[in-house]
Amino acid sequence: MTESLWHAARRLRQDVSMDEHEFDALISRVNAGDSGAQDALFAAAYPALRELASSRLREGGGHADGLHTTQLVHESYLRLSRSARLRPETRREFFAYAARVMREFIVEALRRPRAGEPLTLDTASELPLSAEADEVLRVHEALAALQAAEPRLAQVVEMRYFGGYTEVEIGDVLGLTERTVRRDWDKARLLLMALLR
């Protein structure tokens, strides 16, 4: 992961306009069925989600023709809000989950041209995948294989690489020691490198 993506992900989690407890309380209200809480949650998170989306597109996913930051944020919002209950229960989990949703959408967007589906209503022509887009798909497939074999390792990768979390923060969310997270990260990197060969 490049330093700029890591710093952007880290900064976005800290720049949310409300403190962590207020943000967590909004998530709890959403999960309790408060209809206005979901809009308030996404209004509070929107600037940070835009920054995350911009970083994701700039640092590896921007090869999906026609995909823009606003589209990625809005699609992520729709996917996050489809169910009455959010999976994440804290601000840290929320942004880690948002990063995963964005990654999955980017991968789907990259795959659509292969299947002959237009990316959006205004893109009628199919373009061949670039080498960079193919690389993004290979990394995604390797991460999916890691998820099947070692779910916790895949979660550490998602949180560290896509969410920009530190080892301490990952440990807090997953209930692991910093040392265990470090070992999981090292093992996951080795497995991913082997899968990408």
Side-chain angles (χ1 to χ4, degrees), residues 55-75:
S55 295
R56 292 300 309 130
L57 290 172
R58 186 175 52 250
E59 299 290 341
H63 310 293
D65 296 308
L67 189 57
H68 303 284
T69 300
T70 301
Q71 181 184 8
L72 183 55
V73 171
H74 290 191
E75 181 63 29

Side-chain angles (χ1 to χ4, degrees), residues 41 51-52 72 91 100 113 141 143 154 159-160:
L41 175 67
E51 188 173 336
L52 179 61
L72 183 55
R91 178 167 71 174
R100 178 187 305 160
E141 289 163 2
L143 190 55
M159 293 180 78
R160 180 153 177 179

Side-chain angles (χ1 to χ4, degrees), residues 57-196:
L57 290 172
R58 186 175 52 250
E59 299 290 341
H63 310 293
D65 296 308
L67 189 57
H68 303 284
T69 300
T70 301
Q71 181 184 8
L72 183 55
V73 171
H74 290 191
E75 181 63 29
S76 298
Y77 170 82
L78 291 173
R79 289 178 185 214
L80 287 164
S81 65
R82 278 191 183 137
S83 65
R85 178 167 165 70
L86 291 172
R87 291 181 193 171
E89 295 184 6
T90 65
R91 178 167 71 174
R92 289 179 181 177
E93 292 173 1
F94 176 84
F95 285 110
Y97 184 65
R100 178 187 305 160
V101 168
M102 288 181 188
R103 177 181 61 89
E104 290 170 354
F105 182 71
I106 290 168
V107 168
E108 288 173 17
L110 289 171
R111 285 185 173 152
R112 274 188 212 128
R114 280 191 177 168
E117 300 172 20
L119 181 59
T120 62
L121 294 175
D122 62 349
T123 55
S125 64
E126 277 184 52
L127 298 173
L129 286 178
S130 67
E132 294 88 6
D134 197 41
E135 176 89 10
V136 170
L137 292 175
R138 287 184 61 234
V139 169
H140 172 74
E141 289 163 2
L143 190 55
L146 181 63
Q147 173 70 32
E150 297 279 351
R152 188 176 82 197
L153 297 183
Q155 194 171 14
V156 168
V157 170
E158 285 179 341
M159 293 180 78
R160 180 153 177 179
Y161 184 80
F162 296 106
Y165 287 93
T166 66
E167 291 165 352
V168 171
E169 291 170 326
I170 294 168
D172 288 346
V173 171
L174 299 180
L176 303 170
T177 66
E178 184 179 351
R179 185 175 177 194
T180 300
V181 172
R182 192 175 306 116
R183 281 192 311 252
D184 283 357
W185 173 246
D186 291 341
K187 184 178 178 183
R189 286 188 327 186
L190 291 172
L191 290 171
L192 286 172
M193 284 190 289
L195 289 167
L196 289 169

